[in-house]
Amino acid sequence: MNNVWVDLTDMLVWRGHYTGVQRVTYEYAIRYESAGAKFFAYDVIEERFFEISLRKVLSMHKNISGTHAKTKRSITLRRRIRKVIGRPYYQLDDASKALFQPYVYALNHTVRSTIHLAKSLQGKNKLEESISEYASYPTAAFKRADTVILLGAGWNEIKTLKSLSDLKAKNGFRISQHINDMLPVYQPHLFSDELPRYFIPFAKLAVRVADTITVISDATKRDVEVFCKQQGVQNSPKIAVIRLGDNPLNDNISKKPDAVVASEKYIFALGTFEIRKNYQILYQAIKLAELEQKELPKIIIAGRSGWLTEDLRHVITRDPFVKDRIIWLNNVDDAELKWLFENCMFTVFPSLAEGWGLPIVESLSYGKMCLASGVSSMLEIGQGNVDYFLPYDARECMEKLMYYVTDGRYLDKNSKVKSDYKMYSWDASYECFIATIK
C-alpha cells in the first residue's frame, strides 16, 4: 500500500494562532488525517525523520504549559535564551510588554542570525546538545511510490529537504513541495537580512528535488517558473495553482477585545506588524487627513509583531494625533478576531507584496469589503468585490478610505459582498490539492 506522508515539522515549533503557512498546513493536515495519511517531522538533533500523529502535535500546541512542557525537551542554546528572556517577558503586563517589546524583538533576531551563522560555519550543529525529546518516536519509513508532502516553512531548516533528497535517491518516493511565495528571492528588502540567505538555497534545492510544486496564486507560479529558468533547471517540476480556502478557522462565539470600545466605528486591518504589510501608509493617510481637516475613523490593526517596524511602532504610539487613531492589537485570539471582522466598517490591506492575501478573502467571507493594494497576487482576489489603491501612494489610500466612509458608501459595498461573493471552502481547496499531486 502506498502511503501519503505529511510533514508537521513547522507545527511542532509554532506558537500562537495558525496564520499564513501554518494555517495551510493545519487545514490540509486535518483533512489528510481523515483520509488515513501518515505524519512525520524532522529531528535536527538526531538528524532523522520520525513518525508522529497529528493529534499529538495539536495537543502539544494547545497545552504549551501542560503535557508538552513535562516531556523531555531538547536542550539548545535557543531554548536557554527563550527561557531566560522569553518567559519573564510574557509574564509582564501589557503596558510593560509594549515598553520592552522593541528590545526583545531586536535581541531575538540578533540571536537567530548568530545561530544561523554559527551553523553555517560549523557544519554540524554543535550548538545543540544531543538530547532529543523525540528519541522514542519511531523512524518514519518512506517507501517507493509513497508521496511526501511538504507544506511548511522548510527554509527554516534546510536539512529537512536535503535529507529527504538523499532518501528519495535511494527509495524512489515522490515529493510535493508547497510554496506560498517567492518574495524573499525577488523582494528581499521586505525581510530581515537573514531570511533571503536561507530561503534562496532552500528554493534552489526545492525546484530540483520536488516532483510537484503547488503554489497559491498565478503571481507566485510565474515567479517559480522564472526562478527555474534562472537556475537552469533541466527537468522542471509540475507547477500547479491551488486556491486557498477562505471559510473562517472556527465557529467561536465572538468576543470584543478589551482595548476596543463597542460603540466606536473603525476600519480593520489584519496581518503581522512587519514592513511588508505597509502599515506606514495608513499612518501617512491619517496624517494627510489631519492636514486637510478631514476625519477618518479609527484604524485597528491586529497582528503579531514582525520585523523592521520599530520606528513605525514608535511613531504611531507617540504621535499625539495618531496614537488614539491607529490601535495595534498584537495578541488577539480567534474569538476576538471574529468580533473585529463582524463589527468593522470594512477592512484595509495595504501590503506591498503577497503570495495570495488571505486577510482579503477572510474579510469577504465575513461580508465586509476590502480596500487592498493593487499589486501582485492581490489583484487575483475578490470576484469584483475588492477595491484597490497603489501601496506607494498615501494620497490615493486616504482618498479611497474617505470615499467609502463618506455617506456610508461602504454599506452598499458590504451588501454587494454579501450577495455576490462565493466563499471557497477549505474542503474544496483540499480536494483540488490532492487531485493535483496524484
Side-chain angles (χ1 to χ4, degrees):
M1 177 180 176
N2 300 334
N3 292 314
V4 172
W5 294 85
V6 181
D7 180 23
L8 299 181
T9 305
D10 244 18
M11 292 182 68
L12 276 180
V13 298
W14 180 255
R15 295 295 179 263
H17 309 293
Y18 295 130
T19 60
V21 173
Q22 290 74 28
R23 175 75 184 275
V24 176
T25 303
Y26 171 80
E27 294 289 356
Y28 287 166
I30 59 175
R31 290 164 175 80
Y32 264 117
E33 182 187 42
S34 299
K38 294 188 173 185
F39 300 92
F40 73 96
Y42 184 69
D43 188 334
V44 295
I45 296 173
E46 294 195 337
E47 297 185 340
R48 72 181 183 100
F49 296 98
F50 62 92
E51 189 171 351
I52 188 170
S53 72
L54 176 62
R55 293 298 115 184
K56 178 65 175 176
V57 173
L58 294 179
S59 69
M60 292 161 78
H61 179 267
K62 291 178 180 177
N63 300 292
I64 297 172
S65 61
T67 304
H68 185 45
K70 296 177 183 177
T71 60
K72 188 176 183 181
R73 298 185 61 81
S74 309
I75 301 172
T76 69
L77 176 60
R78 188 179 302 173
R79 282 195 173 122
R80 288 193 185 103
I81 294 170
R82 186 181 299 158
K83 182 176 180 180
V84 172
I85 298 172
R87 289 182 183 175
Y89 171 73
Y90 286 109
Q91 291 171 359
L92 296 173
D93 58 63
D94 289 343
S96 299
K97 277 194 283 190
L99 178 64
F100 286 105
Q101 186 175 58
Y103 307 102
V104 173
Y105 167 83
L107 180 59
N108 171 58
H109 281 280
T110 299
V111 169
R112 288 178 61 188
S113 297
T114 302
I115 288 174
H116 279 288
L117 177 60
K119 284 181 179 181
S120 65
L121 293 175
Q122 293 183 12
K124 186 173 178 62
N125 181 12
K126 296 179 181 179
L127 294 173
E128 310 281 0
E129 296 179 11
S130 56
I131 303 174
S132 173
E133 62 188 293
Y134 307 113
S136 62
Y137 287 68
T139 297
F142 308 125
K143 304 189 303 294
R144 183 173 297 278
D146 283 356
T147 299
V148 176
I149 298 173
L150 308 175
L151 298 168
W155 54 90
N156 285 327
E157 187 49 77
I158 196 172
K159 282 185 179 180
T160 303
L161 190 56
K162 287 180 177 177
S163 298
L164 278 174
S165 176
D166 293 340
L167 287 173
K168 177 186 177 182
K170 297 176 183 177
N171 300 343
F173 52 81
R174 297 172 64 250
I175 293 178
S176 175
Q177 175 71 61
H178 185 71
I179 296 179
N180 278 343
D181 62 71
M182 297 289 285
L183 300 180
V185 177
Y186 296 114
Q187 302 204 50
H189 55 289
L190 299 179
F191 302 90
S192 65
D193 290 343
E194 67 194 61
L195 181 56
R197 285 202 297 264
Y198 52 92
F199 182 91
I200 293 173
F202 159 79
K204 289 179 178 180
L205 182 59
V207 296
R208 287 176 167 83
V209 170
D211 300 280
T212 302
I213 290 179
T214 54
V215 296
I216 58 178
S217 67
D218 291 330
T220 301
K221 181 180 180 182
R222 289 192 294 270
D223 284 347
V224 175
E225 289 172 342
V226 169
F227 187 76
C228 286
K229 290 180 181 178
Q230 290 175 338
Q231 297 301 314
V233 177
Q234 297 299 317
N235 298 308
S236 296
K238 173 185 176 182
I239 305 170
V241 177
I242 308 295
R243 179 179 169 181
L244 300 182
D246 50 58
N247 47 310
L249 184 60
N250 57 56
D251 297 319
N252 284 346
I253 297 174
S254 60
K255 179 181 69 175
K256 182 185 73 65
D258 293 338
V260 179
V261 178
S263 60
E264 195 167 35
K265 290 187 175 182
Y266 63 92
I267 299 167
F268 182 42
L270 174 65
T272 304
F273 201 94
E274 63 180 46
I275 189 172
R276 181 167 59 91
K277 300 304 181 184
N278 194 30
Y279 295 130
Q280 175 77 22
I281 202 172
L282 299 182
Y283 171 78
Q284 293 169 340
I286 292 285
K287 296 298 286 186
L288 275 173
E290 177 194 9
L291 289 173
E292 299 180 8
Q293 298 183 336
K294 297 175 180 177
E295 187 68 29
L296 281 173
K298 178 178 291 186
I299 297 175
I300 296 178
I301 300 169
R304 292 162 57 100
S305 175
W307 42 45
L308 305 177
T309 53
E310 291 86 352
D311 292 347
L312 179 59
R313 283 200 290 265
H314 176 85
V315 168
I316 67 172
T317 56
R318 299 296 193 278
D319 186 322
F321 182 80
V322 174
K323 66 180 182 180
D324 294 323
R325 288 174 169 81
I326 297 180
I327 306 299
W328 172 41
L329 307 176
N330 69 342
N331 190 26
V332 175
D333 63 28
D334 293 333
E336 291 171 327
L337 186 62
K338 183 177 181 181
W339 190 95
L340 289 167
F341 269 121
E342 290 175 341
N343 292 278
C344 69
M345 300 168 73
F346 58 93
T347 66
V348 61
F349 192 64
S351 179
L352 294 169
E354 291 290 323
W356 176 234
L358 193 56
I360 300 176
V361 289
E362 287 184 317
S363 175
L364 299 177
S365 73
Y366 278 99
K368 299 300 175 78
M369 68 150 282
C370 184
L371 183 58
S373 295
V375 294
S376 71
S377 61
M378 291 170 281
L379 290 168
E380 302 174 31
I381 304 174
Q383 304 166 7
N385 292 296
V386 179
D387 199 357
Y388 299 97
F389 62 92
L390 289 176
Y392 308 101
D393 190 337
R395 173 161 295 282
E396 185 184 15
C397 177
M398 185 270 287
E399 290 176 348
K400 285 288 181 78
L401 290 170
M402 286 299 307
Y403 174 82
Y404 286 105
V405 168
T406 303
D407 298 327
R409 290 189 181 100
Y410 71 92
L411 294 171
D412 292 336
K413 192 74 171 179
N414 287 348
S415 295
K416 184 177 184 298
V417 171
K418 291 174 183 176
S419 63
D420 293 355
Y421 185 71
K422 301 296 185 291
M423 189 181 299
Y424 190 74
S425 71
W426 279 100
D427 285 338
S429 179
Y430 167 75
E431 291 298 329
C432 181
F433 182 83
I434 62 174
T436 297
I437 66 172
K438 282 182 179 178

